[in-house]
Amino acid sequence: MKKKFGIIGNPIKHSLSPVLHEYWFKKYDIDADYSIIDILDKDLPRIIKKVRQGYYSGINVTLPFKQKIINYVDKVVNDAELTGSVNTIFLNNNTVIGENTDVYGLQAAYLKGI
């Protein structure tokens, strides 16, 4: 069964995330799609509902929703707790989780440059 992923933001049409994710899906033969989801603030509960129902396996979050989405997820974990910012949401044991992978990515890039 094909998994669905996407990115929410506004504006978002310029995002290169679909190109990057589709590349990795194809390279590793992952049966998945990644799409741009252009939404407004009022659409956040609908997105959470789709994650909760399993329609989306995961959603990336960009501006202006990185802080706003926190009010809709069930649990904020790890660096998202520390930064008050979420860039990834997913379902785990019927709980919508908000995570932040930006900190890890920034640390990895910094350490690679040393």
Side-chain angles (χ1 to χ4, degrees):
M1 182 172 164
K2 186 172 275 201
K3 292 185 176 188
K4 293 184 182 188
F5 298 90
I7 183 167
I8 60 171
N10 192 316
I12 193 65
K13 296 201 185 311
H14 65 281
S15 176
L16 295 177
S17 288
V19 174
L20 296 170
H21 284 83
E22 292 289 343
Y23 170 82
W24 293 112
F25 293 159
K26 185 175 181 178
K27 180 175 176 74
Y28 291 104
D29 198 28
I30 298 169
D31 191 16
D33 284 324
Y34 191 97
S35 60
I36 287 176
I37 308 163
D38 193 1
I39 65 167
L40 301 172
D41 289 14
K42 68 180 179 69
D43 300 316
L44 290 173
R46 178 179 56 84
I47 292 298
I48 295 297
K49 183 177 181 180
K50 286 187 170 190
V51 170
R52 190 176 309 285
Q53 294 171 337
Y55 180 81
Y56 289 113
S57 296
I59 298 287
N60 292 122
V61 181
T62 193
L63 298 174
F65 302 118
K66 287 186 175 198
Q67 289 80 34
K68 295 174 184 178
I69 197 75
I70 291 173
N71 296 321
Y72 300 95
V73 299
D74 299 325
K75 186 175 182 182
V76 177
V77 298
N78 303 326
D79 289 331
E81 285 183 297
L82 297 172
T83 63
S85 179
V86 165
N87 76 338
T88 304
I89 57 175
F90 58 93
L91 190 64
N92 184 26
N93 295 324
N94 296 317
T95 302
V96 178
I97 305 291
E99 172 68 279
N100 186 311
T101 62
D102 288 336
V103 174
Y104 174 79
L106 184 59
Q107 288 172 335
Y110 175 77
L111 292 173
K112 187 174 181 179
I114 290 180

